[in-house]
Structures are given as structure tokens and as C-alpha cells.
Amino acid sequence: MRSLVIIIALIAVSAVNPLRAQDPEVTRIKALMDTQVKAWNAGNLEGFMDTYWKSDSLLFIGKKGLTYGWQATLDNYRKSYPGKEGMGTLSFQLLEFKKLAGDTYFVIGKWNLARTIGDLSGHFSILLRKISGEWKIVADHSS
């Protein structure tokens, strides 16, 4: 009887443990981040920005402060990372996924740019919302 109680308890814990049961939305968000990496590494800033909310309300926070809007964020990327040499090779390490609501996630990670002109790295936190059935980054704090 004791063994049966232990087995039932283990099944119950594994059913509610988010580390054991992968949320399908997390899988979709990971795919979005992979899309960003592929676009960046192909030198395609517009493709990289396709993962962001195409709105004047998009918020980007970087070392230079706040930027509002999709186009302004793209323009800043173009200025900061001119050409393939400046862009380098991007990689992410995704550290945390927090579901805030059914259509909202908070994600924390590390980014790294391997470049011949000197590597760069830092951390990011992004807020994603499901808009018209697709996950989009609505706020990004990268430093």
C-alpha cells in the first residue's frame, strides 16, 4: 500500500511540474527565438525584426535608453550593427520562461555576438504577447 501511495504522489508531482511537462507555447517561443538567430546570422535585420510587434508601441530598452516603435528599433539596429562584420554570429541561451497570462510570457536569457572585430555579450528580458495567433516581442530590455 505504501508503494502505491508513493507512486501516486510521484505521478501527481510530475503532472504539475512545469520542468517535466513542456508547455507547447514555450516550444513556439523557442522557435521564434531560433528564427531571430537564423535571420541575424544571415545578415537579415528585417527578418530578425519580424519577431517584434510591428507597432509604434513596441518598447526597446538598451544601453542608450528607451526606443519606441518598430521602425525606430530597426533603424537603431542598422546604425549599431552595420554589415555582416558588425553583426557577427548571434547565439542565445534561454534561461527563464514565466507565463504571466494566457497570451503573455516573460523570457530572460543571455545573448552573444561572436565577431572578428570583438565579441559582445549580455542579458535580455523580453515580454511576448500572442497577437493574431502569433507570438511577438512587445518589449525588449537588452544590455
Side-chain angles (χ1 to χ4, degrees):
M1 180 66 167
R2 184 173 180 215
S3 297
L4 181 60
V5 171
I6 292 171
I7 291 171
I8 291 171
L10 288 173
I11 291 170
V13 167
S14 67
V16 297
N17 186 340
L19 296 177
R20 294 182 188 266
Q22 182 70 47
D23 181 338
E25 298 304 334
V26 169
T27 301
R28 289 180 184 97
I29 292 168
K30 286 179 178 179
L32 174 134
M33 301 304 290
D34 190 48
T35 296
Q36 274 199 316
V37 167
K38 288 177 182 173
W40 184 278
N41 292 340
N44 181 358
L45 279 175
E46 289 80 8
F48 175 82
M49 287 295 297
D50 280 345
T51 58
Y52 285 85
W53 184 28
K54 198 166 191 173
S55 168
D56 290 339
S57 296
L58 171 68
L59 174 61
F60 186 91
I61 308 159
K63 65 181 180 181
K64 295 179 184 176
L66 300 175
T67 299
Y68 290 97
W70 187 90
Q71 187 63 52
T73 300
L74 174 59
D75 292 345
N76 283 346
Y77 273 121
R78 284 182 175 145
K79 288 177 201 166
S80 298
Y81 302 99
K84 184 63 180 148
E85 185 179 29
M87 291 177 72
T89 301
L90 176 66
S91 62
F92 289 138
Q93 181 182 358
L94 304 175
L95 303 173
E96 295 283 336
F97 291 83
K98 302 286 184 188
K99 186 175 187 174
L100 303 179
D103 67 345
T104 308
Y105 270 83
F106 181 67
V107 177
I108 298 170
K110 292 181 180 179
W111 59 270
N112 186 69
L113 283 180
R115 308 183 315 167
T116 57
I117 60 173
D119 294 351
L120 297 173
S121 63
H123 288 82
F124 65 86
S125 58
I126 54 176
L127 186 65
L128 298 106
R129 289 197 54 218
K130 200 173 228 184
I131 300 170
S132 300
E134 293 185 43
W135 287 105
K136 295 291 182 179
I137 299 167
V138 298
D140 181 339
H141 181 194
S142 294
S143 57

